[in-house]
Amino acid sequence: ELKVEQNPLFLSMQEGKNYTIYCNYSTTSDRLYWYRQDPGKSLESLFVLLSNGAVKQEGRLMASLDTKARLSTLHITAAVHDLSATYFCAVPRSGGSYIPTFGRGTSLIVHP
Amino acid sequence: GAGVSQTPSNKVTEKGKYVELRCDPISGHTALYWYRQSLGQGPEFLIYFQGTGAADDSGLPNDRFFAVRPEGSVSTLKIQRTERGDSAVYLCASSLTSSRAGANEQYFGPGTRLTVT
């Protein structure tokens, strides 16, 4: 059974600081997704990582994928308050349907 | 264009009642997914449609839960004899397809918050 683990689950940081969120998964996968969820809202796609070594950047967020280590990282650079949200990684199951299994999420609060 | 829409946004029902939750996917998306999200958790897969057929319903918790997508577009999730443990946010997502060939990026609707009293 595929397990997806994120850490930390809770992250409180000051504006201007850098930090990394980790996503480990238990079975082979060739892709990984990152989503953002604001309180009371639905999930918004951030990154789709489709191959080993893939790196994508959007603003202050950068995501990478190491399929051999079964690890993805979401790096936050010079955090700002607007980044406060919950971040989920998701890994598709093997087989034909590519249904993603989600981690529990990392709740990020950025303080002024 | 229009995103995924879900109705109602909130539903409060009494234990034992029947509820229907509706999802309208992005036009042209053949794959449709239902998830359930409890507080502090990630979305939990319930059922996946490819076109009109349920391609994978392995996430449905028991036979009180059922979903249909009769014309390959709108889908309805049906819950019979609701229980307090069914209270959660029910999310719907759609994607262009669900195969190795594509990125299979899912677009989520705003969700239906179901409260069973």
Side-chain angles (χ1 to χ4, degrees):
Chain A
E1 180 191 346
L2 171 61
K3 293 190 189 306
V4 180
E5 293 187 354
Q6 288 182 235
N7 72 83
L9 296 182
F10 299 96
L11 178 55
S12 178
M13 58 191 297
Q14 283 189 310
E15 280 191 330
K17 298 293 187 184
N18 305 332
Y19 208 84
T20 301
I21 298 170
Y22 297 89
C23 175
N24 291 91
Y25 52 98
S26 60
T27 64
T28 302
S29 178
D30 63 353
R31 62 193 64 192
L32 185 140
Y33 307 92
W34 283 97
Y35 290 88
R36 168 182 172 145
Q37 187 175 37
D38 291 287
K41 306 289 186 184
S42 192
L43 281 80
E44 171 193 352
S45 178
L46 288 175
F47 300 109
V48 180
L49 302 169
L50 292 177
S51 62
N52 185 40
V55 177
K56 290 200 173 178
Q57 182 160 6
E58 180 77 30
R60 299 173 188 275
L61 300 177
M62 184 173 71
S64 66
L65 177 61
D66 181 343
T67 58
K68 293 179 182 175
R70 298 177 187 169
L71 170 68
S72 178
T73 60
L74 180 65
H75 187 72
I76 303 158
T77 301
V80 293
H81 179 67
D82 285 352
L83 290 179
S84 299
T86 300
Y87 294 85
F88 293 95
C89 62
V91 177
R93 301 184 204 169
S94 58
S97 61
Y98 276 74
I99 295 166
T101 296
F102 285 80
R104 287 186 59 188
T106 296
S107 178
L108 171 65
I109 298 175
V110 181
H111 298 283
Chain B
V4 178
S5 62
Q6 292 185 246
T7 54
S9 54
N10 280 286
K11 176 72 177 178
V12 180
T13 191
E14 291 180 348
K15 179 175 176 296
K17 299 289 188 185
Y18 167 83
V19 295
E20 289 190 352
L21 312 179
R22 176 188 165 110
C23 171
D24 203 336
I26 292 173
S27 177
H29 281 193
T30 62
L32 184 147
Y33 310 77
W34 283 99
Y35 296 88
R36 177 167 70 175
Q37 187 177 24
S38 301
L39 195 62
Q41 302 293 323
E44 173 193 15
F45 168 72
L46 295 176
I47 186 169
Y48 150 63
F49 288 89
Q50 182 61 43
T52 60
D56 188 332
D57 63 358
S58 61
L60 294 178
N62 51 59
D63 61 5
R64 296 186 298 105
F65 289 74
F66 189 71
V68 295
R69 194 186 185 198
E71 297 176 359
S73 179
V74 171
S75 176
T76 305
L77 178 66
K78 309 180 182 199
I79 310 173
Q80 299 178 318
R81 304 183 305 278
T82 51
E83 300 177 357
R84 292 195 182 88
D86 299 335
S87 297
V89 175
Y90 288 81
L91 295 168
C92 174
S94 69
S95 64
L96 265 176
T97 183
S98 184
S99 71
R100 183 176 175 78
N104 303 312
E105 188 174 5
Q106 295 190 3
Y107 297 84
F108 282 80
T112 294
R113 181 175 298 277
L114 175 66
T115 304
V116 181
T117 62

